Amino acid sequence: MKTGLVDIKDLLKMVADDNRLAFTLFYDLYYDQIFRFAYYFLKNTEACREVVTEVFFSIWQSRLKLKDIENIETYLFVTVRNETTRYQTRMSKSHFVSLDETSLRLTAREDESPEDKLLVEEMEKILNRVIDELPEKCRLIFLLARQEGLKPKEIAERLSIKESTVRVQMKIAVDKIVTNLKPYFPDITFTLLLAHIV
């Protein structure tokens, strides 16, 4: 996969070979994405900055492994998840919630009634739990679509996988969400659900 003027595989190899300039380029290239992943778990800007610093430090310490990484997006997501877990373990539970309690905000529309807003809040709690329970690849694909607004083709290109794989994983995610929401909201339409989760 090429990013700008550099092939990411070449860049990772240069970082693995102790090239600090290459690591700076890597840092600039992936800082925003790593921050977004951290924010998904923490919902706190200052906490995210600390975790992002730890993530890059961890990557530099483990730079020899970079040569063998097949999919950098998945690697970064897993690394961020691990660092946020460590961060939350260090923090007081009275100040920081666990990963299971983190919130993926649903969009509240201005014209929604109080009843609709309450529905959204309830859906949000269940949705967040279901997303956390998705398989790693499935969750990453769903978040790239939901948080970054990427189309299946764009996700496939970013993750170096087939577009059909993206669509299958998205279907798995949506099916699991529908299955988990239906018992609580039997009258909710599929269209309304998609309007809130995507």
Side-chain angles (χ1 to χ4, degrees):
M1 181 178 73
K2 288 194 174 181
T3 308
L5 299 175
V6 64
D7 183 275
I8 190 61
K9 287 286 187 184
D10 292 339
L11 181 63
L12 294 179
K13 185 178 183 304
M14 287 188 286
V15 174
D17 291 337
D18 292 340
N19 187 320
R20 291 180 180 273
L21 186 60
F23 184 73
T24 299
L25 179 57
F26 176 86
Y27 178 94
D28 292 339
L29 201 56
Y30 285 103
Y31 181 91
D32 288 344
Q33 186 172 342
I34 289 174
F35 188 94
R36 283 194 295 272
F37 284 156
Y39 195 81
Y40 161 67
F41 290 115
L42 297 171
K43 297 294 184 292
N44 180 292
T45 301
E46 289 303 316
C48 287
R49 289 189 182 125
E50 184 173 335
V51 165
V52 169
T53 299
E54 290 297 325
V55 167
F56 280 110
F57 180 68
S58 172
I59 291 171
W60 177 252
Q61 283 189 312
S62 307
R63 58 191 177 280
L64 289 176
K65 298 178 183 178
L66 294 177
K67 294 178 181 178
D68 302 319
I69 291 173
E70 291 297 322
N71 193 307
I72 188 63
E73 303 277 348
T74 302
Y75 174 79
L76 292 178
F77 183 79
V78 172
T79 303
V80 171
R81 185 198 62 188
N82 292 342
E83 287 298 335
T84 54
T85 301
R86 279 192 282 271
Y87 176 86
Q88 288 175 319
T89 300
R90 293 196 306 265
M91 297 297 106
S92 165
K93 287 188 177 181
S94 63
H95 291 93
F96 293 91
V97 295
S98 71
L99 284 179
D100 291 336
E101 297 168 327
T102 54
S103 175
L104 245 184
R105 291 290 171 193
L106 291 166
T107 304
R109 293 167 176 77
E110 292 182 2
D111 59 347
E112 281 183 330
S113 67
E115 291 79 12
D116 288 336
K117 289 179 180 177
L118 184 60
L119 174 67
V120 168
E121 289 175 4
E122 290 302 314
M123 284 174 58
E124 179 185 324
K125 293 176 184 176
I126 301 169
L127 173 63
N128 188 68
R129 174 178 59 78
V130 177
I131 291 173
D132 279 343
E133 292 172 355
L134 290 173
E136 204 70 66
K137 180 185 287 187
C138 187
R139 189 193 326 180
L140 176 57
I141 288 171
F142 184 82
L143 289 174
L144 286 173
R146 186 171 191 267
Q147 289 188 298
E148 301 193 26
L150 298 182
K151 303 296 182 188
K153 183 178 180 181
E154 295 171 321
I155 296 174
E157 289 174 352
R158 180 174 287 194
L159 299 181
S160 301
I161 58 178
K162 294 180 180 179
E163 187 176 342
S164 59
T165 301
V166 174
R167 294 185 182 279
V168 168
Q169 292 297 320
M170 280 297 293
K171 184 178 187 306
I172 290 172
V174 172
D175 284 348
K176 284 184 179 291
I177 290 167
V178 170
T179 299
N180 280 270
L181 283 175
K182 274 293 184 181
Y184 301 95
F185 308 102
D187 297 327
I188 191 169
T189 65
F190 187 71
T191 303
L192 176 60
L193 175 62
L194 287 181
H196 285 299
I197 67 173
V198 179

